[in-house]
Amino acid sequence: LPRRVTLASLVMVAPGLASQDHMRDPTDLSDWSVEQMAFRFAIFQQEGRGLQSQAEIDRTAGAPIQRGSEHAWIFQPMISALIRQDRDTTHSLTLPIDIVTAASPDALNPDVQTNASRENEAAGLDLVTTVRDSEDVSWQLHIGFHFEEYWGNGQIGGAFIHRFADDNATLRLGIETIFDSFDPLQPDGIDPGPVVNRFGTAATGSISQLLSPTTIAMASYTFTAQFGVLETTYNSVPVVGGGRLGDRYPRTRGRHTLTGEIRQAIPETDTYLALSYRFYADTFGALAHSSQLTATQYVGDVWVRGHYRFHHQDAPSFWMSSAPTLDAPEWLLRTSDSDLETLDAHEGGLNVRWFFDRRGALTAQSSYVQLGYVVYGRSTGLLMHVGSFDFGFGF
């Protein structure tokens, strides 16, 4: 491939997964160019059972409440690129695509029994533009879109980034606005129309500080305010004695997220460690704690990266395994979504990346090939296996 790629030829190549934190500082910046490109293909295979699922359950009158199948295959190709416009401006472009084969919104129609395994396709576009205003100040603009059957999403946001203390500390302040519009499909497959909406705004503040030549610490806080139809309208709650009620959430939600991370390099052995913690709370009454340990080891032209993550969450106040009657009032808040119930989750993964050029490996400028595997399990019985293949090009 040529060292420089013009915008006219960009559509002919596969862009790549790039990091804004590892941009090189080229000397020839007179024309648009692609600095990094990559492609990722991941396969998710999921097994488990949840109360909101109606797949593979006994629907006869009087049957006991059961957890339906959450079996799914998800195929996700993704392409991305880091494009430099000039010395001070870069654009990070990502195009993810999801293909889900399982009981999905496609299956929710009056012919539900013959469509329970149909596929659902989704695609998105994400663009982050970073402009360096001075040696110490940069600005970011983020625009994103996502489309799938019955649902569309748009988001726009910006951030202010300030480097200080001799470039040993970085402050980032950002705001993001998200808008969703979707058909209000019901658990029985009926679409009462018209489309409904939800709206959210997130404000984030983060800071990173170099503690030593080999240690860096980071912390961030995000507050998100959501308004509108917040439930997934085709999710449902089983009723004692038979039948289903649709989920019902409050029309507003406040979410608080606090994260902290510390990273340690061990240059003598080419080892890099990271330990992070995340706290979450919202006005639904949900609480969650997550911690993760990541280790990366370079061996010649290869690095091996492993991670382990533990997550615990408490369900929101209106989560229930069943509703007592079909005559429940419309205002009664309720959900049986298995993603929201009280649970513990464990995740472990291993990635192996081979760099074509060891000299560029530490600055993300080298081309590479990567294989990855992740296993994720919940105390509720959900189990997911994820395999991925990546290749990227650095220029």
Side-chain angles (χ1 to χ4, degrees):
L1 292 173
R3 182 173 180 81
R4 304 188 66 80
V5 183
T6 65
L7 278 184
S9 64
L10 180 61
V11 296
M12 304 300 294
V13 299
L17 303 170
S19 171
Q20 290 283 345
D21 299 329
H22 300 98
M23 294 185 296
R24 65 187 175 98
D25 186 20
T27 57
D28 180 12
L29 303 173
S30 59
D31 193 11
W32 290 73
S33 64
V34 174
E35 292 195 341
Q36 297 170 333
M37 301 184 301
F39 170 80
R40 166 176 290 180
F41 182 76
I43 300 176
F44 300 74
Q45 194 275 327
Q46 173 180 292
E47 297 290 346
R49 305 189 75 84
L51 289 165
Q52 85 280 12
S53 173
Q54 300 185 60
E56 300 179 7
I57 62 174
D58 185 356
R59 292 185 173 85
T60 59
I65 292 174
Q66 306 163 64
R67 288 178 175 258
S69 174
E70 293 183 324
H71 170 80
W73 284 88
I74 302 169
F75 304 90
Q76 186 183 70
M78 181 183 295
I79 55 178
S80 180
L82 179 62
I83 306 164
R84 179 170 290 278
Q85 178 177 334
D86 53 39
R87 181 180 297 276
D88 297 322
T89 306
T90 59
H91 307 277
S92 178
L93 181 66
T94 304
L95 175 63
I97 299 172
D98 286 328
I99 302 172
V100 182
T101 172
S104 68
D106 270 340
L108 292 170
N109 56 54
D111 196 20
V112 65
Q113 291 185 346
T114 63
N115 289 291
S117 296
R118 288 186 60 179
E119 296 178 354
N120 187 54
E121 299 82 21
L125 181 66
D126 191 88
L127 175 64
V128 178
T129 295
T130 302
V131 179
R132 186 175 62 178
D133 191 38
S134 66
E135 289 298 321
D136 299 326
V137 174
S138 297
W139 300 87
Q140 281 187 340
L141 173 66
H142 174 222
I143 299 175
F145 302 95
H146 180 91
F147 301 97
E148 63 182 88
E149 295 179 76
Y150 306 109
W151 182 50
N153 163 279
Q155 51 188 305
I156 185 170
F160 164 79
I161 303 170
H162 178 54
R163 292 169 291 278
F164 56 98
D166 295 326
D167 212 20
N168 291 323
T170 302
L171 172 69
R172 185 181 188 278
L173 302 175
I175 190 165
E176 194 87 13
T177 298
I178 304 170
F179 182 80
D180 295 326
S181 183
F182 52 97
D183 291 343
L185 292 174
Q186 300 301 298
D188 57 6
I190 302 299
D191 180 3
V195 298
V196 294
N197 304 299
R198 72 167 66 103
F199 172 84
T201 298
T204 300
S206 65
I207 188 168
S208 64
Q209 172 68 54
L210 193 66
L211 303 180
S212 77
T214 59
T215 309
I216 187 170
M218 292 165 281
S220 69
Y221 169 75
T222 301
F223 174 74
T224 305
Q226 293 180 301
F227 310 90
V229 179
L230 304 184
E231 65 266 19
T232 301
T233 57
Y234 54 80
N235 273 1
S236 61
V237 177
V239 175
V240 174
R244 291 263 169 173
L245 287 174
D247 278 12
R248 181 70 175 178
Y249 289 7
R251 289 297 176 259
T252 61
R253 184 186 197 182
R255 305 167 65 181
H256 306 268
T257 305
L258 181 65
T259 63
E261 183 175 9
I262 187 164
R263 299 180 183 179
Q264 178 66 50
I266 308 175
E268 296 80 6
T269 60
D270 264 356
T271 304
Y272 301 85
L273 304 173
L275 179 64
S276 63
Y277 169 76
R278 177 180 182 269
F279 171 77
Y280 171 90
D282 66 24
T283 54
F284 286 3
L287 291 173
H289 306 269
S290 306
S291 56
Q292 178 169 318
L293 175 64
T294 304
T296 304
Q297 178 65 56
Y298 282 83
V299 183
D301 296 338
V302 175
W303 65 235
V304 180
R305 174 172 294 168
H307 78 272
Y308 169 74
R309 178 177 179 267
F310 174 75
H311 172 81
H312 171 79
Q313 69 181 40
D314 295 317
S317 57
F318 52 86
W319 192 93
M320 60 184 68
S321 59
S322 62
T325 174
L326 282 170
D327 296 327
E330 180 64 25
W331 50 260
L332 177 67
L333 301 178
R334 55 192 181 260
T335 185
S336 293
D337 192 333
S338 59
D339 289 337
L340 297 179
E341 66 180 304
T342 298
L343 58 84
D344 293 330
H346 302 267
E347 177 183 304
L350 186 67
N351 292 275
V352 179
R353 176 178 291 192
W354 173 56
F355 294 94
F356 293 5
D357 176 13
R358 178 67 172 89
R359 292 173 300 175
L362 297 180
T363 59
Q365 294 177 22
S366 174
S367 301
Y368 65 87
V369 174
Q370 177 177 315
L371 293 175
Y373 171 72
V374 172
V375 60
Y376 171 84
R378 293 178 180 172
S379 56
T380 56
L382 183 75
L383 182 63
M384 179 181 290
H385 300 274
V386 183
S388 62
F389 170 75
D390 300 62
F391 68 84
F393 298 94
F395 297 96

